[in-house]
Amino acid sequence: MSAATPLPMALVAEITHRCPLRCPYCSNPLEMARASEELSTADWQRVFAEAAALGVLHLHLSGGEPMARADLPALIRAAVEAGLYTNLITSGVLLDEKRLVQLAEAGLAHVQLSFQHADGSEAERIGGMIGAHAKKIAAARLVTVAGLPLTCNFVIHRQNAWGVGAMIALAADLGAGRVEIAHTQYYGWGLINRDALLPDTGECNAVTTAVEGARETHQGRMVIDYVTSDYHADRPKSCMGGWARRFIVVTPAGRALPCHAAETIPGLSFPNVRTVSLAEIWNADPAFLRFRGTGWMPEPCQSCDFKEQDWGGCRCQALALAGDGAATDPVCGRSSLHSSVKELIAARPVAPPPFVYRRHAGHAIPE
């Protein structure tokens, strides 16, 4: 590894795309892997060992719903033996006391539990699963009773923005040490549903006000992370800490990516961990090197004082908004396309259209 190559901090292991929920903003790709295509237990165990050897500290077990994998305790045990801090990102709907005991005994260190809303009926309408909200509440209480740290995650959009105060209050009631309030990212299912999800400026401001007030209320008792809306910004975020700078994502079928939606960018071919080691991928793979650092940047990014802070913003967002993954991220105020983002916000329909719910393989997606 050269002196210029950053060390990866975290591995996001998308161990399955299977999930009983159908969230319309899901970060999974439109074409999801079938169970028969998933990496085996032994494959994941080897990947975890390779990640630890490469310098990775944190393992985020994600999906889909990672609890759909019967071998989850074995995967956690292997990760702990490799020296990784294990974080389970789950909907909670498949979690019961017996399974939680198994995960805790395997060495699980932390649970991130996703919610769609504080209101049960609205949560189930958004997530597309009847009965899910009560299961999530029960799962959260099991986690805290077991003594595991709990983070509650809420994805924010125009159809739940008014309820952020209640969401934070719910997290506090459930005993969460941290809550994440994160605006929707518009790629994959989120991009298909953008008109149904994209908030206006007033809604974004209301969310910010609710978060700021709640931070005062819960100071010293619960941390509130806030991910603001890209489309309402004038400067882009450092997506995933910069392309291939901090995170490695491995899909259920074994494809290694610098970020969740990287496969949407034309012209890039990503390696598979079945045949290539994580070290070789991180240090030498052309797709990982394509947007790492600043050498690839066009103007005005190349001469920008912030280029080593935002690392050019989000490449997948640039593709979605500019049609070019190498373009200046249009959410940046210096982009020639920045006004088009504001036009998208202004042009959203007054009434949100119906959701196109997340579908697994074999189900047609409406045009």
Side-chain angles (χ1 to χ4, degrees), residues 95-98 100 137-148:
L95 183 65
D96 57 25
E97 185 174 5
K98 179 181 177 180
L100 183 60
I137 298 293
R141 300 205 185 281
L142 286 173
V143 170
T144 54
V145 167
L148 286 170

Side-chain angles (χ1 to χ4, degrees), residues 250-267:
V250 178
T251 70
R255 197 76 67 189
L257 310 172
C259 69
H260 298 282
E263 285 183 291
T264 63
I265 300 176

Side-chain angles (χ1 to χ4, degrees), residues 3-365:
T5 303
L7 286 170
M9 178 181 69
L11 171 65
V12 179
E14 295 181 340
I15 60 176
T16 184
H17 282 154
R18 288 173 283 158
C19 184
L21 273 76
R22 301 186 294 139
C23 302
Y25 47 74
C26 181
S27 64
N28 289 163
L30 302 185
E31 295 185 16
M32 292 177 277
R34 298 176 183 272
S36 60
E37 300 174 292
E38 294 173 3
L39 293 180
S40 68
T41 305
D43 286 331
W44 279 118
Q45 290 170 332
R46 174 180 51 77
V47 168
F48 297 161
E50 289 180 0
L54 189 57
V56 168
L57 300 175
H58 295 152
L59 171 65
H60 302 287
L61 291 157
S62 181
E65 172 48 65
M67 294 201 62
R69 294 264 313 212
D71 61 352
L72 185 57
L75 297 181
I76 291 172
R77 190 171 294 108
V80 172
E81 290 173 355
L84 299 174
Y85 180 91
T86 54
N87 175 41
L88 177 66
I89 304 173
T90 177
S91 69
V93 299
L94 300 181
L95 183 65
D96 57 25
E97 185 174 5
K98 179 181 177 180
R99 297 204 69 189
L100 183 60
V101 167
Q102 293 173 341
L103 301 182
E105 288 179 346
L108 180 64
H110 183 270
V111 176
Q112 279 183 251
L113 188 58
S114 67
F115 287 86
Q116 286 66 47
H117 206 294
D119 178 87
S121 61
E122 279 298 290
E124 291 172 10
R125 180 183 69 85
I126 294 166
M129 179 183 172
I130 296 172
H133 191 68
K135 293 178 183 293
K136 291 170 178 286
I137 298 293
R141 300 205 185 281
L142 286 173
V143 170
T144 54
V145 167
L148 286 170
L150 172 68
T151 294
C152 293
N153 295 342
F154 294 87
V155 176
I156 306 305
H157 45 83
R158 68 182 292 186
Q159 300 199 41
N160 69 359
W162 56 270
V164 167
M167 297 176 204
I168 296 172
L170 173 62
D173 178 67
L174 293 173
R178 181 180 297 269
V179 59
E180 180 178 284
I181 303 296
H183 278 272
T184 301
Q185 302 294 304
Y186 296 102
Y187 52 77
W189 296 96
L191 185 59
I192 286 179
N193 285 289
R194 186 168 60 192
D195 282 345
L197 298 168
L198 183 63
D200 62 21
T201 301
E203 289 160 340
C204 283
N205 290 342
V207 172
T208 299
T209 299
V211 168
E212 291 173 349
R215 280 176 169 165
E216 292 185 10
T217 300
H218 298 286
Q219 186 175 13
R221 296 187 299 275
M222 184 173 69
V223 176
I224 302 176
D225 294 328
Y226 181 35
V227 181
T228 56
S229 171
D230 287 343
Y231 279 40
H232 291 80
D234 290 319
R235 278 187 52 198
K237 298 184 185 73
S238 173
C239 183
M240 301 289 284
W243 180 277
R245 294 189 62 82
R246 288 291 178 263
F247 287 84
I248 307 172
V249 178
V250 178
T251 70
R255 197 76 67 189
L257 310 172
C259 69
H260 298 282
E263 285 183 291
T264 63
I265 300 176
L268 295 182
S269 177
F270 293 96
N272 197 295
V273 297
R274 285 188 170 103
T275 55
V276 187
S277 72
L278 276 189
E280 185 177 349
I281 291 168
W282 184 258
N283 294 320
D285 184 77
F288 272 64
L289 300 178
R290 175 64 179 89
F291 298 116
R292 179 183 283 162
T294 61
W296 64 272
M297 292 181 180
E299 290 293 352
C301 306
Q302 192 58 244
S303 57
C304 180
D305 291 339
F306 300 108
K307 67 181 181 182
E308 292 189 5
Q309 295 177 31
D310 60 39
W311 301 105
C314 179
R315 298 300 87 221
C316 303
Q317 188 160 260
L319 175 66
L321 292 171
D324 180 1
T328 298
D329 189 335
V331 305
C332 180
R334 298 185 67 189
S335 167
S336 61
L337 296 175
H338 185 64
S339 61
S340 67
V341 182
K342 305 308 177 187
E343 290 167 3
L344 277 173
I345 298 169
R348 68 171 203 162
V350 174
F355 289 136
V356 177
Y357 286 102
R358 175 193 191 272
R359 293 175 172 85
H360 212 289
H363 295 272
I365 299 169

